Amino acid sequence: MGRILNNSFINKDIINTIVYFASFLMAFFLPISIKLSNLFLVLFFISSAFLFLIKKDFKKRNYTSLFYTTMILFLINVFGLLITETPSEGIKAIERGLSFFLCPFLLFFHTEKALFEIKNKLFNGIVLGSLLSVIILLCNNFINYFSTRPLFSFDNEIFSYYHTYYYFTDFFKIHPTYLGSYIILSITIVLMRFIKNNNKKMRIINLWILLILSVGILFLNSRIIFFLYSSILLVFLLWGLFKLFKLKNIKYGLISLFLVCSALFFLFNSSISKTFIYSRFTKELSWELSDQVDTKYNSKIHADSRVARWKSGLKVIEQKPIFGYGTRTEKDILALQYKIDGLENSYKLKYDSHNLFLTYTIEFGLIGLLVLCFYFISNVYLSLKSKNIEYFVFFYMIITICFFESFLKNNAGITFVAFFSAILYFTKDYNQISD
């Protein structure tokens, strides 16, 4: 049967085309529809397996390299399955996290040429998908906004609770932080293309893409995403100013400096200070970082702060610090502790810890925490060693988000990190980017 398929009319080039096509569409649909993205991810798995098993087109590498990928996160979840008291739930978690295994495993066998092409397709897909999703969300937002007022009549309401954050992304049913992570990576890719490409037309196109994505960041109103955006953009701007002054382009340097100062003034002027965006970064942030139980963080909602939930998480860890409670036990274990600590709101909603480091320590103990830290630290080190900007920014972004979200417990984070981290790792020593 294998010989028949190997000699079939489906030649190697067609299979490779399907692999690249699936890679592009998997990334393209990530910011738009996770179901469609998963569909094309499965197509990537099947076409890659067909290429290796039937067409015998693969490259052998050192298997130890897989320990720097999400493969080790998959293995720690398998380990947790052995000690969990709810094996059926643990199996569901293993199934959900199958991409942690399959993405690095299949990319491991692709040739260098194929890896570069897959990387370029992923990069192009995530940029175009993020751009389209932001344009659609902005159009939807402005349609809703102008349905209650005269056309082109703007006021502070545009930055209100009902036009930012969850309301802004509700059209695609996606959490603002997850969409924000896709946009941050897209912005990094476009910035690198802007720097490397001297073509004036392409630079103008890239600037427009950056502008549209930046507007999307503003309406996402996610604190951690805005922090990441600001820090990344600041580094690029400082580097750009340094280059301009070094080349004695004083005029362009001063213009750039003026634009940066104008942007900062816009963010902190009195009109913005009266909006929901401003309150998210002041009152709500202060509330989240203090020990608050069943108190209001705005005029609408009673809740328990992250710090209060983190304290409950630490109490749970003290009881089983070495091996933890097992795969997918965090919510049930925390719910019992929330009840004891009087966090009724968190108990009813069965919140997780909103901190991946706590999540791994609760489920897999100190062993799980060490595995997670090894995965993050080793990849940061390798990104710095290879001087690969996209690789470094990707892990800087994921690590930062994981301090405030259990980012790798949801499908939108799992497939994103599994695929992109693996391709960045396997192509880390090369900085080729297609336009």
Side-chain angles (χ1 to χ4, degrees):
M1 182 66 180
R3 185 177 297 176
I4 293 171
L5 287 171
N6 190 41
N7 296 323
S8 67
F9 66 92
I10 305 176
N11 63 41
K12 184 174 69 176
D13 291 337
I14 293 174
I15 302 301
N16 274 315
T17 301
I18 295 172
V19 168
Y20 305 148
F21 172 79
S23 302
F24 173 81
L25 290 178
M26 177 273 172
F28 177 80
F29 282 110
L30 259 178
I32 299 169
S33 169
I34 193 64
K35 289 182 179 179
L36 284 174
S37 178
N38 286 341
L39 178 66
F40 288 106
L41 181 61
V42 171
L43 179 60
F44 170 81
F45 292 157
I46 294 171
S47 54
S48 293
F50 187 88
L51 191 66
F52 305 148
L53 298 175
I54 307 301
K55 296 298 180 180
K56 308 297 182 184
D57 184 27
F58 60 88
K59 180 179 176 63
K60 292 181 180 180
R61 291 185 173 87
N62 190 335
Y63 284 97
T64 58
S65 61
L66 289 170
F67 286 101
Y68 299 100
T69 70
T70 52
M71 182 79 76
I72 60 171
L73 302 185
F74 179 80
L75 293 176
I76 197 68
N77 274 274
V78 173
F79 162 76
L81 192 60
L82 302 176
I83 58 175
T84 183
E85 294 181 0
T86 55
S88 60
E89 291 297 311
I91 290 171
K92 289 179 183 177
I94 297 294
E95 291 172 350
R96 177 178 286 188
L98 201 56
S99 296
F100 281 160
F101 175 84
L102 289 175
C103 285
F105 181 73
L106 291 172
L107 287 170
F108 175 83
F109 291 105
H110 275 289
T111 63
E112 280 85 356
K113 180 183 176 182
L115 288 173
F116 287 131
E117 193 61 35
I118 292 167
K119 179 181 177 180
N120 288 329
K121 297 302 182 187
L122 285 173
F123 278 19
N124 289 334
I126 197 73
V127 170
L128 292 175
S130 296
L131 181 64
L132 180 61
S133 69
V134 168
I135 290 172
I136 292 171
L137 291 175
L138 286 172
C139 289
N140 179 67
N141 208 33
F142 287 129
I143 289 170
N144 292 334
Y145 177 75
F146 290 119
S147 66
T148 60
R149 66 200 69 237
L151 191 63
F152 303 125
S153 174
F154 286 98
D155 55 33
N156 288 348
E157 183 67 21
I158 191 65
F159 298 125
S160 72
Y161 176 79
Y162 297 103
H163 297 288
T164 63
Y165 203 40
Y166 284 117
Y167 276 90
F168 179 66
T169 61
D170 184 62
F171 184 83
F172 287 131
K173 305 298 179 186
I174 186 171
H175 192 286
T177 301
Y178 289 87
L179 178 57
S181 67
Y182 310 150
I183 295 174
I184 290 293
L185 179 60
S186 299
I187 286 172
T188 304
I189 293 167
V190 175
L191 280 170
M192 290 304 297
R193 289 176 173 176
F194 179 82
I195 291 169
K196 292 181 178 182
N197 196 322
N198 292 320
N199 183 286
K200 188 176 180 180
K201 184 179 178 181
M202 286 306 304
R203 282 198 160 192
I204 292 171
I205 291 172
N206 286 328
L207 279 175
W208 274 107
I209 294 173
L210 286 171
L211 178 62
I212 294 169
L213 293 178
S214 297
V215 174
I217 292 286
L218 181 65
F219 281 96
L220 281 179
N221 200 7
S222 169
R223 290 184 293 258
I224 193 61
I225 294 302
F226 195 79
F227 168 78
L228 288 165
Y229 170 79
S230 302
S231 61
I232 292 166
L233 201 62
L234 180 62
V235 170
F236 274 99
L237 285 171
L238 290 174
W239 178 85
L241 286 171
F242 173 76
K243 294 286 285 185
L244 286 172
F245 282 111
K246 189 177 179 181
L247 296 171
K248 297 184 179 180
N249 286 331
I250 306 297
K251 181 177 72 174
Y252 293 108
L254 291 173
I255 291 172
S256 301
L257 193 61
F258 171 76
L259 291 173
V260 173
C261 292
S262 299
L264 291 172
F265 174 77
F266 169 76
L267 288 174
F268 293 102
N269 71 16
S270 58
S271 60
I272 291 294
S273 66
K274 297 174 183 177
T275 66
F276 177 59
I277 288 179
Y278 186 81
S279 68
R280 282 270 302 157
F281 290 87
T282 51
K283 293 179 182 178
E284 285 194 23
L285 181 59
S286 176
W287 180 89
E288 283 279 23
L289 298 179
S290 59
D291 190 3
Q292 301 289 334
V293 177
D294 195 30
T295 58
K296 277 190 176 183
Y297 64 84
N298 58 36
S299 60
K300 301 174 178 62
I301 301 171
H302 278 82
D304 309 310
S305 68
R306 271 182 170 82
V307 168
R309 279 179 270 149
W310 291 346
K311 285 186 174 181
S312 293
L314 291 172
K315 291 177 183 177
V316 163
I317 290 168
E318 288 176 1
Q319 298 172 38
K320 288 190 176 183
I322 307 301
F323 298 109
Y325 295 83
T327 304
R328 205 170 180 179
T329 54
E330 181 196 19
K331 287 188 176 182
D332 291 334
I333 298 298
L334 276 179
L336 296 174
Q337 190 63 45
Y338 290 152
K339 186 71 174 176
I340 294 169
D341 294 339
L343 280 68
E344 290 294 330
N345 187 273
S346 300
Y347 169 73
K348 290 175 183 176
L349 297 173
K350 292 194 77 172
Y351 278 141
D352 58 28
S353 60
H354 277 67
N355 181 305
L356 191 71
F357 298 95
L358 279 178
T359 296
Y360 265 64
T361 313
I362 291 169
E363 294 194 347
F364 314 114
L366 291 175
I367 292 174
L369 179 62
L370 288 173
V371 168
L372 183 65
C373 289
F374 170 79
Y375 171 67
F376 283 148
I377 294 170
S378 62
N379 277 278
V380 169
Y381 168 76
L382 290 170
S383 69
L384 292 171
K385 184 180 178 182
S386 61
K387 298 179 181 178
N388 190 307
I389 302 299
E390 296 92 346
Y391 188 17
F392 173 78
V393 169
F394 181 83
F395 273 93
Y396 163 64
M397 173 182 72
I398 299 303
I399 292 168
T400 305
I401 292 174
C402 286
F403 277 107
F404 301 95
E405 295 287 344
S406 295
F407 193 72
L408 301 184
K409 303 298 285 186
N410 296 301
N411 188 248
I414 290 169
T415 56
F416 175 55
V417 172
F419 209 159
F420 277 86
S421 66
I423 198 67
L424 286 165
Y425 170 71
F426 287 121
T427 60
K428 64 182 179 298
D429 296 320
Y430 305 91
N431 291 307
Q432 296 180 6
I433 298 180
S434 165
D435 289 324

